[in-house]
Amino acid sequence: MASDVILATAPVRVAASASAAQVLARGYSHRRGLVLFNDSVGYLYVKYGADATATDFTFRLGPGEMREITSVYTGAVTGLWSAAAAGEGCAVTELV
């Protein structure tokens, strides 16, 4: 019998765009998922693990794109923007 999962919280924070890799979410074993929204004019290279680069990444989000990461991966997630600008970044919703 399947049970419904009820989430206790879904905090949202904004990771500011930068020219160096940024931690979008720290590893957390109880995390049920993440939602990432690239709110910038540049591409966001996202990596499951440390030190995302434009050549070493898990997936790429274009400007205005969103991706949901399921509970299969609970480790750290990093990101690097192709173009960093003040006031831009990635909205990160952590489902716990």
Side-chain angles (χ1 to χ4, degrees):
M1 177 176 179
S3 64
D4 292 329
V5 174
I6 298 174
L7 300 175
T9 62
V12 179
R13 68 174 195 80
V14 175
S17 66
S19 58
Q22 301 293 312
V23 174
L24 301 177
R26 298 192 185 286
Y28 183 55
S29 63
H30 297 294
R31 181 172 60 219
R32 301 281 185 170
L34 286 173
V35 179
L36 304 175
F37 175 73
N38 182 15
D39 190 18
S40 75
V41 297
Y43 287 100
L44 172 58
Y45 297 93
V46 179
K47 181 179 178 182
Y48 291 175
D51 303 323
T53 71
T55 58
D56 182 16
F57 60 95
T58 305
F59 60 88
R60 182 181 77 171
L61 289 176
E65 289 186 340
M66 185 266 311
R67 170 79 60 101
E68 183 175 351
I69 300 172
T70 64
S71 62
V72 173
Y73 182 75
T74 59
V77 178
T78 58
L80 175 70
W81 284 264
S82 62
E88 296 182 348
C90 178
V92 180
T93 303
E94 189 166 12
L95 307 174
V96 292

Coordinates of all heavy atoms in Angstrom, one line a residue:
M1 N 0.8 -1.2 0.0 CA 0.0 0.0 0.0 C 0.9 1.2 0.0 O 1.8 1.4 0.8 CB -0.9 0.0 1.2 CG -1.7 1.2 1.4 SD -2.8 0.9 2.9 CE -3.7 2.4 2.8
A2 N 0.7 2.1 -1.0 CA 1.5 3.3 -1.1 C 0.9 4.4 -0.1 O -0.2 4.5 0.2 CB 1.4 3.9 -2.5
S3 N 1.9 5.1 0.5 CA 1.4 6.2 1.4 C 1.8 7.5 0.8 O 2.7 7.7 0.0 CB 2.2 6.1 2.7 OG 3.5 6.2 2.6
D4 N 0.9 8.5 1.1 CA 1.2 9.9 0.6 C 2.3 10.5 1.4 O 2.3 10.4 2.6 CB -0.1 10.7 0.7 CG -1.2 10.2 -0.3 OD1 -0.8 9.7 -1.3 OD2 -2.4 10.4 0.1
V5 N 3.1 11.3 0.8 CA 4.2 12.0 1.4 C 3.7 13.4 1.7 O 3.3 14.1 0.8 CB 5.5 12.0 0.6 CG1 6.5 12.9 1.3 CG2 6.0 10.6 0.4
I6 N 3.8 13.9 2.9 CA 3.4 15.2 3.2 C 4.7 16.0 3.6 O 5.4 15.6 4.5 CB 2.4 15.2 4.4 CG1 1.1 14.5 4.0 CG2 2.1 16.7 4.8 CD1 0.1 14.3 5.1
L7 N 4.9 17.1 2.9 CA 6.1 17.8 3.1 C 5.9 18.8 4.2 O 4.8 19.5 4.3 CB 6.5 18.6 1.8 CG 6.8 17.7 0.6 CD1 7.1 18.6 -0.6 CD2 8.0 16.8 0.9
A8 N 6.9 18.9 5.1 CA 6.7 19.8 6.3 C 7.1 21.3 5.9 O 6.4 22.2 6.3 CB 7.6 19.4 7.4
T9 N 8.1 21.4 5.0 CA 8.5 22.8 4.6 C 9.0 22.8 3.1 O 9.3 21.7 2.6 CB 9.6 23.3 5.5 OG1 10.8 22.5 5.3 CG2 9.2 23.4 6.9
A10 N 9.0 23.9 2.5 CA 9.5 24.1 1.2 C 10.1 25.5 1.1 O 9.6 26.4 0.4 CB 8.4 23.9 0.1
P11 N 11.2 25.7 1.9 CA 11.8 27.1 1.8 C 12.4 27.4 0.5 O 12.9 26.6 -0.2 CB 12.9 27.0 2.9 CG 13.2 25.5 3.0 CD 12.0 24.8 2.7
V12 N 12.3 28.7 0.2 CA 12.9 29.2 -1.1 C 14.0 30.2 -0.8 O 13.8 31.1 0.1 CB 11.8 29.9 -1.9 CG1 12.4 30.5 -3.2 CG2 10.7 29.0 -2.3
R13 N 15.1 30.1 -1.4 CA 16.2 31.1 -1.3 C 16.7 31.4 -2.7 O 16.5 30.6 -3.6 CB 17.3 30.6 -0.3 CG 18.1 29.5 -0.8 CD 19.3 29.2 0.1 NE 20.2 28.3 -0.5 CZ 21.2 28.7 -1.4 NH1 21.3 30.0 -1.7 NH2 22.0 27.9 -1.9
V14 N 17.4 32.5 -2.8 CA 18.0 32.9 -4.1 C 19.5 32.8 -4.0 O 20.1 33.4 -3.1 CB 17.6 34.3 -4.5 CG1 18.3 34.7 -5.8 CG2 16.0 34.3 -4.7
A15 N 20.1 32.0 -4.9 CA 21.6 32.0 -5.0 C 21.9 33.0 -6.1 O 21.5 32.9 -7.2 CB 22.0 30.6 -5.4
A16 N 22.7 34.0 -5.7 CA 23.1 35.0 -6.6 C 24.0 34.5 -7.7 O 24.9 33.7 -7.4 CB 23.8 36.2 -5.8
S17 N 23.8 35.0 -8.9 CA 24.7 34.6 -10.0 C 26.1 35.1 -9.7 O 26.3 36.1 -9.1 CB 24.2 35.1 -11.4 OG 24.3 36.5 -11.4
A18 N 27.1 34.3 -10.2 CA 28.5 34.6 -9.9 C 29.3 34.0 -11.0 O 28.9 33.1 -11.7 CB 28.9 34.1 -8.6
S19 N 30.6 34.5 -11.2 CA 31.5 34.0 -12.2 C 32.2 32.7 -11.7 O 32.9 32.1 -12.5 CB 32.4 35.1 -12.6 OG 33.2 35.5 -11.5
A20 N 32.1 32.4 -10.5 CA 32.6 31.1 -9.9 C 31.5 30.2 -9.5 O 30.4 30.7 -9.2 CB 33.5 31.4 -8.7
A21 N 31.7 28.9 -9.4 CA 30.7 28.0 -9.0 C 30.2 28.3 -7.6 O 30.9 28.6 -6.7 CB 31.3 26.5 -9.1
Q22 N 28.9 28.2 -7.5 CA 28.2 28.5 -6.2 C 27.5 27.2 -5.7 O 27.0 26.4 -6.5 CB 27.1 29.6 -6.4 CG 27.7 30.9 -6.9 CD 28.6 31.5 -5.9 OE1 28.2 31.6 -4.7 NE2 29.8 32.0 -6.3
V23 N 27.3 27.1 -4.4 CA 26.5 26.0 -3.9 C 25.1 26.4 -4.0 O 24.7 27.4 -3.4 CB 26.9 25.7 -2.4 CG1 26.0 24.6 -1.8 CG2 28.3 25.2 -2.3
L24 N 24.3 25.6 -4.7 CA 22.8 25.9 -4.8 C 22.1 25.2 -3.7 O 21.1 25.8 -3.2 CB 22.3 25.4 -6.2 CG 23.0 26.1 -7.4 CD1 22.4 25.4 -8.7 CD2 22.8 27.6 -7.4
A25 N 22.5 24.1 -3.3 CA 21.9 23.3 -2.2 C 23.0 22.4 -1.6 O 23.7 21.7 -2.3 CB 20.7 22.5 -2.6
R26 N 23.1 22.4 -0.3 CA 24.0 21.5 0.4 C 23.4 20.1 0.5 O 22.2 20.0 0.4 CB 24.2 22.0 1.9 CG 24.9 23.4 1.9 CD 25.4 23.7 3.3 NE 25.9 25.1 3.4 CZ 27.0 25.5 2.9 NH1 27.8 24.7 2.3 NH2 27.4 26.7 3.0
G27 N 24.2 19.1 0.7 CA 23.7 17.8 0.8 C 22.8 17.7 2.0 O 23.1 18.2 3.1
Y28 N 21.7 17.0 1.9 CA 20.8 16.8 3.0 C 20.0 15.5 2.8 O 19.2 15.4 1.8 CB 19.8 18.0 3.1 CG 18.9 17.9 4.2 CD1 19.3 17.8 5.5 CD2 17.5 18.0 4.0 CE1 18.4 17.7 6.6 CE2 16.6 17.9 5.1 CZ 17.1 17.8 6.4 OH 16.2 17.8 7.4
S29 N 20.3 14.5 3.6 CA 19.7 13.1 3.4 C 18.2 13.1 3.5 O 17.6 12.2 3.0 CB 20.3 12.2 4.4 OG 20.0 12.5 5.7
H30 N 17.6 14.0 4.2 CA 16.1 14.0 4.3 C 15.4 14.9 3.3 O 14.2 14.9 3.3 CB 15.7 14.5 5.7 CG 16.2 13.7 6.8 ND1 15.8 12.4 7.0 CD2 17.2 13.9 7.8 CE1 16.4 11.8 8.1 NE2 17.3 12.7 8.5
R31 N 16.1 15.4 2.3 CA 15.5 16.2 1.3 C 14.7 15.3 0.4 O 15.1 14.2 0.0 CB 16.6 16.9 0.5 CG 16.1 17.8 -0.6 CD 17.1 18.6 -1.3 NE 18.2 17.8 -1.9 CZ 19.5 18.2 -1.8 NH1 19.9 19.2 -1.2 NH2 20.4 17.4 -2.4
R32 N 13.5 15.8 0.0 CA 12.6 15.0 -0.9 C 12.8 15.5 -2.4 O 12.4 14.8 -3.3 CB 11.2 15.2 -0.5 CG 10.8 14.8 0.9 CD 10.7 13.3 0.9 NE 10.2 12.9 2.2 CZ 9.8 11.6 2.5 NH1 9.8 10.7 1.5 NH2 9.5 11.3 3.7
G33 N 13.4 16.7 -2.5 CA 13.6 17.2 -3.9 C 14.0 18.7 -3.9 O 14.0 19.3 -2.8
L34 N 14.3 19.2 -5.0 CA 14.6 20.6 -5.2 C 13.9 21.1 -6.5 O 13.7 20.3 -7.4 CB 16.2 20.7 -5.5 CG 17.1 20.6 -4.3 CD1 18.5 20.6 -4.9 CD2 16.9 21.7 -3.3
V35 N 13.6 22.3 -6.5 CA 13.1 23.0 -7.7 C 14.1 24.2 -7.9 O 14.3 25.0 -7.0 CB 11.7 23.5 -7.5 CG1 11.2 24.2 -8.8 CG2 10.8 22.4 -7.2
L36 N 14.7 24.2 -9.1 CA 15.6 25.3 -9.5 C 15.0 26.1 -10.6 O 14.5 25.5 -11.6 CB 16.9 24.7 -10.0 CG 17.7 23.7 -9.0 CD1 18.9 23.1 -9.7 CD2 18.0 24.4 -7.8
F37 N 15.0 27.4 -10.5 CA 14.5 28.3 -11.5 C 15.7 29.3 -11.8 O 16.1 30.1 -11.0 CB 13.3 29.1 -11.0 CG 12.8 30.1 -12.0 CD1 12.2 29.7 -13.2 CD2 13.1 31.5 -11.8 CE1 11.8 30.7 -14.1 CE2 12.7 32.4 -12.7 CZ 12.0 32.0 -13.9
N38 N 16.1 29.3 -13.1 CA 17.2 30.2 -13.5 C 16.6 31.6 -13.8 O 16.1 31.8 -14.9 CB 17.9 29.6 -14.7 CG 19.1 30.5 -15.2 OD1 19.5 31.3 -14.4 ND2 19.6 30.2 -16.4
D39 N 16.8 32.5 -12.9 CA 16.3 33.8 -13.1 C 17.4 34.8 -13.5 O 17.7 35.7 -12.8 CB 15.6 34.3 -11.8 CG 14.9 35.6 -11.9 OD1 14.5 36.0 -13.1 OD2 14.6 36.3 -10.9
S40 N 18.0 34.4 -14.6 CA 19.1 35.2 -15.1 C 19.1 35.2 -16.7 O 18.3 34.4 -17.3 CB 20.5 34.7 -14.6 OG 20.8 33.5 -15.3
V41 N 19.9 36.0 -17.3 CA 20.0 36.1 -18.8 C 21.0 35.1 -19.3 O 21.0 34.9 -20.5 CB 20.3 37.5 -19.3 CG1 19.2 38.5 -18.9 CG2 21.6 38.0 -18.7
G42 N 21.8 34.5 -18.5 CA 22.8 33.5 -18.9 C 22.3 32.1 -18.6 O 21.4 31.8 -17.9
Y43 N 23.1 31.2 -19.2 CA 22.9 29.7 -18.9 C 23.4 29.4 -17.5 O 24.4 30.0 -17.1 CB 23.6 28.9 -19.9 CG 22.9 28.9 -21.3 CD1 23.4 29.6 -22.3 CD2 21.8 28.1 -21.5 CE1 22.8 29.6 -23.5 CE2 21.1 28.1 -22.7 CZ 21.6 28.9 -23.7 OH 21.0 28.9 -24.9
L44 N 22.7 28.5 -16.8 CA 23.1 28.0 -15.5 C 23.5 26.6 -15.7 O 22.7 25.7 -16.1 CB 22.0 28.2 -14.5 CG 22.3 27.5 -13.1 CD1 23.5 28.1 -12.5 CD2 21.0 27.7 -12.2
Y45 N 24.8 26.3 -15.5 CA 25.3 24.9 -15.5 C 25.2 24.3 -14.1 O 25.8 24.8 -13.2 CB 26.8 24.9 -16.0 CG 26.9 25.4 -17.4 CD1 27.2 26.8 -17.6 CD2 26.7 24.6 -18.5 CE1 27.3 27.3 -18.9 CE2 26.9 25.1 -19.8 CZ 27.1 26.4 -20.0 OH 27.2 26.9 -21.3
V46 N 24.4 23.3 -14.0 CA 24.1 22.7 -12.7 C 24.8 21.3 -12.6 O 24.7 20.5 -13.6 CB 22.6 22.5 -12.5 CG1 22.3 21.8 -11.1 CG2 21.9 23.8 -12.6
K47 N 25.4 21.0 -11.5 CA 26.1 19.7 -11.3 C 25.7 19.1 -10.0 O 25.6 19.8 -8.9 CB 27.6 20.0 -11.2 CG 28.4 18.7 -11.1 CD 29.9 18.9 -11.1 CE 30.7 17.6 -10.9 NZ 32.1 17.9 -10.8
Y48 N 25.4 17.8 -10.0 CA 25.2 17.0 -8.8 C 26.6 16.8 -8.2 O 27.4 16.0 -8.7 CB 24.6 15.7 -9.1 CG 23.1 15.7 -9.6 CD1 22.5 14.6 -10.0 CD2 22.4 16.9 -9.6 CE1 21.2 14.6 -10.4 CE2 21.1 16.9 -10.0 CZ 20.5 15.8 -10.4 OH 19.2 15.8 -10.8
G49 N 27.0 17.6 -7.3 CA 28.4 17.5 -6.7 C 29.0 18.9 -6.7 O 28.4 19.9 -7.0
A50 N 30.3 18.9 -6.4 CA 31.1 20.1 -6.3 C 31.6 20.7 -7.6 O 31.8 19.9 -8.5 CB 32.2 19.9 -5.3
D51 N 31.7 22.0 -7.6 CA 32.5 22.7 -8.7 C 31.9 22.5 -10.1 O 32.6 22.0 -11.0 CB 34.0 22.3 -8.6 CG 34.6 22.6 -7.3 OD1 34.2 23.6 -6.7 OD2 35.4 21.8 -6.8
A52 N 30.7 22.9 -10.3 CA 30.1 22.9 -11.7 C 31.0 23.8 -12.6 O 31.5 24.9 -12.2 CB 28.7 23.4 -11.6
T53 N 31.2 23.4 -13.8 CA 31.9 24.2 -14.8 C 31.1 24.1 -16.1 O 30.1 23.3 -16.2 CB 33.3 23.7 -15.1 OG1 33.2 22.4 -15.8 CG2 34.1 23.6 -13.8
A54 N 31.4 24.9 -17.1 CA 30.8 24.8 -18.4 C 31.0 23.5 -19.2 O 30.4 23.2 -20.2 CB 31.2 26.0 -19.2
T55 N 32.0 22.8 -18.7 CA 32.3 21.5 -19.4 C 32.1 20.3 -18.5 O 32.2 19.1 -18.9 CB 33.8 21.5 -19.9 OG1 34.7 21.7 -18.8 CG2 34.0 22.5 -21.0
D56 N 31.8 20.5 -17.2 CA 31.6 19.4 -16.2 C 30.3 19.8 -15.4 O 30.4 20.4 -14.4 CB 32.8 19.3 -15.3 CG 32.7 18.2 -14.3 OD1 31.8 17.3 -14.5 OD2 33.4 18.2 -13.3
F57 N 29.2 19.3 -16.0 CA 27.9 19.6 -15.4 C 26.9 18.5 -15.6 O 27.2 17.7 -16.5 CB 27.3 20.9 -15.9 CG 27.1 21.0 -17.4 CD1 25.9 20.7 -17.9 CD2 28.1 21.3 -18.3 CE1 25.6 20.7 -19.3 CE2 27.9 21.3 -19.7 CZ 26.7 21.0 -20.2
T58 N 25.9 18.5 -14.8 CA 24.8 17.4 -15.0 C 23.8 17.8 -16.0 O 23.3 17.0 -16.8 CB 24.2 17.1 -13.6 OG1 25.2 16.8 -12.6 CG2 23.2 16.0 -13.6
F59 N 23.3 19.1 -15.9 CA 22.4 19.6 -16.9 C 22.5 21.1 -16.9 O 23.1 21.7 -16.1 CB 20.9 19.2 -16.6 CG 20.4 19.7 -15.3 CD1 19.8 20.9 -15.1 CD2 20.5 18.8 -14.1 CE1 19.3 21.3 -13.9 CE2 20.0 19.2 -12.9 CZ 19.4 20.5 -12.8
R60 N 22.0 21.7 -18.0 CA 22.1 23.2 -18.2 C 20.7 23.7 -18.3 O 19.8 23.2 -18.9 CB 22.8 23.4 -19.5 CG 23.0 24.9 -19.8 CD 23.7 25.1 -21.1 NE 22.7 24.9 -22.2 CZ 22.9 25.1 -23.5 NH1 24.1 25.5 -23.9 NH2 22.0 24.9 -24.4
L61 N 20.5 24.9 -17.5 CA 19.2 25.6 -17.6 C 19.4 26.9 -18.3 O 20.3 27.7 -18.0 CB 18.7 25.9 -16.2 CG 18.2 24.8 -15.3 CD1 17.9 25.3 -13.9 CD2 17.0 24.1 -15.9
G62 N 18.5 27.1 -19.3 CA 18.5 28.3 -20.1 C 17.9 29.4 -19.3 O 17.2 29.2 -18.2
P63 N 17.9 30.7 -19.7 CA 17.3 31.8 -19.0 C 15.8 31.5 -18.9 O 15.1 31.1 -19.8 CB 17.5 33.0 -20.0 CG 18.8 32.6 -20.7 CD 18.7 31.1 -20.9
G64 N 15.3 31.6 -17.7 CA 13.8 31.4 -17.4 C 13.4 30.0 -17.3 O 12.2 29.7 -17.2
E65 N 14.3 29.0 -17.4 CA 14.0 27.6 -17.3 C 14.0 27.1 -15.9 O 14.6 27.7 -15.0 CB 14.9 26.8 -18.1 CG 14.7 26.9 -19.6 CD 15.6 26.0 -20.4 OE1 16.6 25.4 -19.9 OE2 15.3 25.8 -21.6
M66 N 13.2 26.0 -15.6 CA 13.0 25.4 -14.3 C 13.2 23.9 -14.4 O 12.9 23.3 -15.5 CB 11.6 25.7 -13.8 CG 11.3 25.3 -12.4 SD 10.6 23.6 -12.2 CE 9.2 23.6 -13.3
R67 N 13.8 23.4 -13.4 CA 14.0 21.9 -13.3 C 13.7 21.4 -11.9 O 14.1 22.0 -10.9 CB 15.4 21.6 -13.7 CG 15.9 20.1 -13.5 CD 15.4 19.2 -14.6 NE 15.9 19.5 -15.9 CZ 16.9 18.9 -16.5 NH1 17.6 18.0 -15.9 NH2 17.2 19.2 -17.7
E68 N 13.0 20.3 -11.8 CA 12.7 19.7 -10.5 C 13.7 18.5 -10.4 O 13.8 17.7 -11.3 CB 11.3 19.2 -10.4 CG 11.0 18.6 -9.0 CD 9.5 18.3 -8.9 OE1 8.7 18.7 -9.7 OE2 9.2 17.7 -7.8
I69 N 14.3 18.4 -9.2 CA 15.2 17.3 -8.9 C 14.5 16.4 -7.9 O 14.1 16.9 -6.8 CB 16.6 17.8 -8.4 CG1 17.3 18.7 -9.4 CG2 17.5 16.6 -8.0 CD1 18.5 19.3 -8.8
T70 N 14.3 15.1 -8.2 CA 13.6 14.2 -7.3 C 14.5 13.8 -6.2 O 15.6 14.0 -6.1 CB 13.1 13.0 -8.1 OG1 14.2 12.3 -8.6 CG2 12.2 13.4 -9.3
S71 N 13.9 13.1 -5.3 CA 14.5 12.6 -4.1 C 15.6 11.6 -4.3 O 16.3 11.1 -3.4 CB 13.5 12.1 -3.1 OG 12.8 10.9 -3.6
V72 N 15.8 11.2 -5.6 CA 16.9 10.2 -5.9 C 18.2 10.7 -5.5 O 19.1 10.0 -5.0 CB 16.8 9.8 -7.4 CG1 18.0 8.9 -7.7 CG2 15.5 9.1 -7.7
Y73 N 18.5 12.0 -5.6 CA 19.8 12.6 -5.3 C 19.6 13.6 -4.1 O 18.8 14.5 -4.2 CB 20.3 13.4 -6.5 CG 21.7 13.9 -6.2 CD1 22.8 13.1 -6.2 CD2 21.8 15.3 -6.0 CE1 24.0 13.7 -5.9 CE2 23.1 15.8 -5.7 CZ 24.2 15.0 -5.6 OH 25.4 15.5 -5.3
T74 N 20.4 13.4 -3.1 CA 20.3 14.2 -1.9 C 21.6 14.9 -1.5 O 21.7 15.5 -0.5 CB 19.8 13.4 -0.7 OG1 20.7 12.3 -0.4 CG2 18.4 12.9 -0.9
G75 N 22.6 14.8 -2.4 CA 23.9 15.4 -2.2 C 23.9 16.9 -2.5 O 22.9 17.5 -2.9
A76 N 25.1 17.4 -2.5 CA 25.3 18.9 -2.8 C 25.0 19.1 -4.3 O 25.2 18.3 -5.1 CB 26.7 19.3 -2.4
V77 N 24.5 20.3 -4.6 CA 24.2 20.7 -6.0 C 24.9 22.1 -6.1 O 24.7 23.0 -5.3 CB 22.7 20.9 -6.2 CG1 22.4 21.4 -7.7 CG2 22.0 19.5 -6.0
T78 N 25.7 22.2 -7.2 CA 26.4 23.5 -7.4 C 26.0 24.0 -8.8 O 25.5 23.3 -9.7 CB 27.9 23.3 -7.4 OG1 28.3 22.3 -8.3 CG2 28.4 22.9 -6.0
G79 N 26.2 25.3 -9.0 CA 25.9 25.9 -10.3 C 26.9 27.0 -10.7 O 27.5 27.6 -9.8
L80 N 27.0 27.2 -12.0 CA 27.9 28.2 -12.6 C 27.1 28.9 -13.7 O 26.5 28.2 -14.5 CB 29.2 27.6 -13.1 CG 30.1 28.5 -13.8 CD1 30.7 29.5 -12.8 CD2 31.2 27.8 -14.6
W81 N 27.1 30.2 -13.7 CA 26.4 30.9 -14.8 C 27.4 31.3 -15.9 O 28.5 31.6 -15.7 CB 25.8 32.2 -14.2 CG 24.6 32.0 -13.4 CD1 23.3 32.1 -13.8 CD2 24.6 31.6 -12.0 NE1 22.5 31.8 -12.8 CE2 23.2 31.5 -11.7 CE3 25.5 31.4 -11.0 CZ2 22.8 31.2 -10.4 CZ3 25.1 31.0 -9.8 CH2 23.7 30.9 -9.5
S82 N 26.8 31.3 -17.1 CA 27.7 31.6 -18.3 C 27.9 33.1 -18.3 O 28.8 33.6 -18.9 CB 27.0 31.2 -19.6 OG 25.7 31.8 -19.8
A83 N 27.0 33.9 -17.7 CA 27.1 35.3 -17.6 C 26.5 35.7 -16.3 O 25.3 35.5 -16.0 CB 26.3 36.0 -18.7
A84 N 27.3 36.3 -15.4 CA 26.8 36.8 -14.1 C 26.5 38.2 -14.1 O 27.2 39.0 -14.6 CB 27.8 36.5 -13.0
A85 N 25.3 38.6 -13.5 CA 24.9 40.0 -13.5 C 24.3 40.3 -12.1 O 23.6 39.4 -11.5 CB 24.0 40.3 -14.6
A86 N 24.5 41.5 -11.6 CA 23.9 41.9 -10.3 C 22.4 41.7 -10.4 O 21.7 42.1 -11.4 CB 24.3 43.3 -10.0
G87 N 21.8 41.2 -9.3 CA 20.3 41.1 -9.2 C 19.8 39.9 -9.8 O 18.6 39.7 -9.9
E88 N 20.6 39.0 -10.4 CA 20.2 37.8 -11.0 C 20.6 36.6 -10.2 O 21.5 36.7 -9.4 CB 20.7 37.7 -12.5 CG 20.1 38.8 -13.4 CD 20.6 38.6 -14.8 OE1 21.5 37.8 -15.1 OE2 20.1 39.3 -15.7
G89 N 20.0 35.5 -10.5 CA 20.4 34.3 -9.8 C 19.5 33.1 -10.1 O 18.9 33.0 -11.1
C90 N 19.4 32.2 -9.1 CA 18.6 31.0 -9.2 C 17.8 30.9 -7.9 O 18.3 30.9 -6.8 CB 19.6 29.8 -9.3 SG 18.7 28.2 -9.4
A91 N 16.5 30.8 -8.1 CA 15.6 30.5 -7.0 C 15.6 29.0 -6.7 O 15.4 28.2 -7.6 CB 14.1 31.0 -7.4
V92 N 15.9 28.7 -5.5 CA 16.1 27.3 -5.1 C 15.0 27.0 -4.0 O 15.0 27.6 -3.0 CB 17.5 27.0 -4.5 CG1 17.7 25.6 -4.1 CG2 18.6 27.4 -5.5
T93 N 14.1 26.1 -4.4 CA 13.1 25.6 -3.4 C 13.5 24.2 -3.0 O 13.7 23.3 -3.8 CB 11.7 25.6 -4.1 OG1 11.4 26.8 -4.6 CG2 10.7 25.1 -3.0
E94 N 13.7 24.0 -1.7 CA 14.1 22.7 -1.1 C 12.9 22.1 -0.5 O 12.3 22.6 0.4 CB 15.2 22.9 -0.1 CG 15.8 21.6 0.3 CD 17.1 21.8 1.1 OE1 17.5 22.9 1.5 OE2 17.8 20.8 1.3
L95 N 12.6 20.9 -1.0 CA 11.4 20.2 -0.5 C 11.9 19.2 0.6 O 12.6 18.3 0.4 CB 10.7 19.4 -1.6 CG 10.4 20.2 -2.9 CD1 9.9 19.4 -4.0 CD2 9.4 21.3 -2.5
V96 N 11.5 19.5 1.8 CA 11.9 18.7 3.0 C 10.6 18.3 3.8 O 9.6 18.8 3.7 CB 12.9 19.4 3.9 CG1 14.2 19.6 3.2 CG2 12.4 20.7 4.4

